[in-house]
Amino acid sequence: MTDFTTRIDAKFAELKAQGKKAFVSYVMAGDPNYETSLEVVKGLPAAGVDIIELGLPFTDPMADGPTIQLAGQRALDQGMTLETTLQMARDFRKDDDTTPIVLMGYYNPIYSRGVDKFLQDAKEAGIDGLIVVDLPPEEDDELCIPAQAAGLNFIRLATPTTDEKRLPKVLQNTSGFVYYVSITGITGAAEAQATNVGPEVEAIKAKTDLPVIVGFGINTPEKSEAIASVSDGAVVGSAIVKMIGEGKPADEVLAFVKTLADGAHRA
């Protein structure tokens, strides 16, 4: 647990006071290009998004399915880097100082930049939390603990294969929220089922006071509502990224996002 309050903590406190579940959306920074990506990101709060997950493009993703892999490749082809991803956060913060941003990606670009410099730059850019999927709890000294010392939440993923023995280790230095991965496998590969997710979320909540948000396999307003009804909120990524990859204009993407957010908020 942390002894500081981030925008993420404040957002969950606000939602709890309102009796609402959270809706979290993922987009890949720089997909299909910087300008369109920034337009989408800037429009997310008005579409009902409570927390933005900003994908950090990386050449060798492991947890991502084809949809998000291709989005990362499109962004890299446009010249996106860790620096330009942080610049997108800075540009977003010019107009919005309240919506939390979680940077989601892999450790290599952070390691290459240097942890101390990265954390200083991320904090200055307005990043509130990190999801770094290839750093297990055994490597918390690497980034997790320094990140929390710098005032950033470090959000960990729990999965259907995280057993009772492993769960306390996963939760040990997690803050902000716990991200429960509803399916085994990669993003966009299968559909989440509330009947399966509910008991797993309850098992996690028995061990932590943190909100538990569920992602992977949510692609419709109905699914968003169903999953949010058995958790503290829903995350949608691939379904949104797919529309962007199809070349849909920002306003059409944001209209779809609103239907998903409305679903979660009905739960």
Side-chain angles (χ1 to χ4, degrees):
M1 296 299 290
T2 58
D3 55 4
F4 58 86
T5 300
T6 65
R7 291 184 186 92
I8 297 168
D9 303 320
K11 175 57 71 175
F12 278 112
E14 175 193 327
L15 289 166
K16 188 174 182 180
Q18 295 171 349
K20 284 173 71 175
K21 301 301 179 73
F23 181 69
V24 182
S25 73
Y26 171 98
V27 291
M28 179 66 73
D31 174 37
N33 54 60
Y34 191 92
E35 293 74 20
T36 305
S37 184
L38 181 60
E39 185 182 354
V40 171
V41 172
K42 282 187 169 184
L44 292 174
V49 171
D50 298 302
I51 298 172
I52 297 168
E53 279 183 17
L54 192 59
L56 174 61
F58 182 54
T59 49
D60 299 281
M62 298 183 305
D64 299 308
T67 300
I68 291 178
Q69 283 188 31
L70 287 168
Q73 194 57 55
R74 288 192 296 269
L76 291 168
D77 289 346
Q78 287 287 319
M80 284 300 286
T81 62
L82 175 53
E83 177 52 42
T84 49
T85 301
L86 293 176
Q87 186 57 47
M88 185 168 287
R90 293 185 196 102
D91 288 344
F92 175 84
R93 286 279 175 240
K94 290 172 186 173
D95 303 312
D96 186 321
D97 196 42
T98 56
T99 305
I101 300 176
V102 175
L103 191 67
M104 184 171 185
Y106 297 87
Y107 185 46
N108 186 282
I110 297 169
Y111 176 79
S112 298
R113 192 180 189 86
V115 167
D116 291 344
K117 178 165 175 50
F118 164 74
L119 291 173
Q120 181 182 342
D121 293 345
K123 184 78 175 167
E124 174 268 326
I127 301 295
D128 304 291
L130 305 173
I131 299 175
V132 183
V133 295
D134 54 347
L135 275 183
E138 287 75 14
E139 296 176 34
D140 275 358
D141 289 343
E142 200 67 34
L143 180 63
C144 171
I145 291 169
Q148 302 202 134
L152 294 168
N153 290 128
F154 198 89
I155 296 145
R156 190 88 66 193
L157 276 64
T159 75
T161 58
T162 306
D163 60 21
E164 282 186 20
K165 186 179 177 186
R166 180 68 174 166
L167 184 60
K169 188 78 173 169
V170 169
L171 297 174
Q172 187 175 357
N173 291 315
T174 299
S175 67
F177 61 91
V178 178
Y179 187 136
Y180 180 69
V181 176
S182 65
I183 57 172
T184 52
I186 52 176
T187 58
E191 292 199 359
Q193 302 296 333
T195 48
N196 298 336
V197 168
E200 298 286 349
V201 170
E202 286 304 311
I204 297 168
K205 289 180 77 67
K207 299 280 199 285
T208 180
D209 294 329
L210 292 170
V212 180
I213 306 300
V214 177
F216 286 48
I218 303 167
N219 50 21
T220 66
E222 295 74 24
K223 192 72 74 175
S224 182
E225 180 178 3
I227 293 297
S229 73
V230 296
S231 65
D232 295 304
V235 186
V236 179
S238 292
I240 299 167
V241 171
K242 183 170 180 283
M243 284 191 76
I244 294 170
E246 290 168 351
K248 297 291 193 327
D251 58 349
E252 201 173 317
V253 174
L254 292 166
F256 174 60
V257 171
K258 186 175 189 310
T259 67
L260 298 165
D262 289 347
H265 292 150
R266 278 195 300 270

